[in-house]
Amino acid sequence: MQKESITQLKALIDPELPLVSNLSNTAAFLWEALDEINWAGFYLLKEETLYLGPFQGKVACTRIQIGKGVCGTAAQEAKTQLVEDVHQFPGHIACDSASNSEIVVPIIIDKKVVGVLDIDSPKFARFKEEDRLILEELVHILEQGCNWKSEII
């Protein structure tokens, strides 16, 4: 993903739209912008569970407990997880057996995790430090530009 992608995403985000609309377009945008991925989307937090949100890719897990798998760990630690080999990640949840690497970026509003951006790849070590920086910037745009008060789950 190129730095110019950030400018493109900013043009897609509209704070007057429902959250689901912005997240849906973002998932579609990532699906088109990134190569060698097999899933891109969001899980949104309600109580102690991440629930499946807008995404592109194969059918996915619908619930993930905080602290479980890569997504649950990112939410619990409020820290990006960049995993080169998901099969080596303790407690990895295999929604798609074709996934071999993953990056998960927490979404934080008012100092609380409200969800995560999750991207999977069939390629080992697909995601690099540059991807982490750009995706964290992208999530920051979503944090700032979306209406997180709207109920979507």
Side-chain angles (χ1 to χ4, degrees):
M1 174 173 269
Q2 304 295 323
K3 193 81 168 149
E4 324 54 88
S5 298
I6 297 301
T7 305
Q8 292 173 317
L9 179 69
K10 283 181 183 177
L12 284 177
I13 303 303
D14 181 346
E16 294 184 20
L17 289 175
L19 180 59
V20 69
S21 299
N22 284 315
L23 296 183
S24 295
N25 264 344
T26 301
F29 171 78
L30 291 168
W31 185 253
E32 295 296 324
L34 295 169
D35 343 345
E36 300 177 314
I37 65 168
N38 59 342
W39 203 89
F42 298 91
Y43 282 92
L44 301 167
L45 186 63
K46 188 170 184 178
E47 296 166 6
E48 291 296 306
T49 303
L50 290 165
Y51 289 93
L52 180 63
F55 73 95
Q56 297 281 311
K58 291 184 178 180
V59 171
C61 302
T62 55
R63 290 184 205 108
I64 300 173
Q65 294 300 312
I66 294 296
K68 303 291 184 189
V70 182
C71 289
T73 300
Q76 182 176 53
E77 296 179 2
K79 181 180 173 198
T80 298
Q81 304 293 307
L82 194 158
V83 182
E84 293 184 350
D85 180 353
V86 295
H87 308 290
Q88 301 303 313
F89 191 91
H92 173 252
I93 300 167
C95 295
D96 180 355
S97 61
S99 293
N100 289 312
S101 64
E102 184 171 7
I103 187 167
V104 180
V105 181
I107 303 166
I108 302 170
I109 304 296
D110 297 329
K111 300 181 183 176
K112 278 182 49 186
V113 173
V114 297
V116 298
L117 166 63
D118 179 22
I119 305 174
D120 297 348
S121 174
K123 181 180 177 187
F124 288 99
R126 157 61 182 89
F127 305 103
K128 308 290 183 226
E129 184 66 12
E130 176 184 327
D131 296 305
R132 181 187 66 80
L133 294 172
I134 291 172
L135 291 169
E136 286 178 346
E137 187 174 345
L138 181 146
V139 164
H140 184 67
I141 291 166
L142 291 173
E143 291 166 344
Q144 301 279 309
C146 292
N147 178 4
W148 290 94
K149 305 268 189 253
S150 64
E151 183 74 20
I152 70 160
I153 55 172

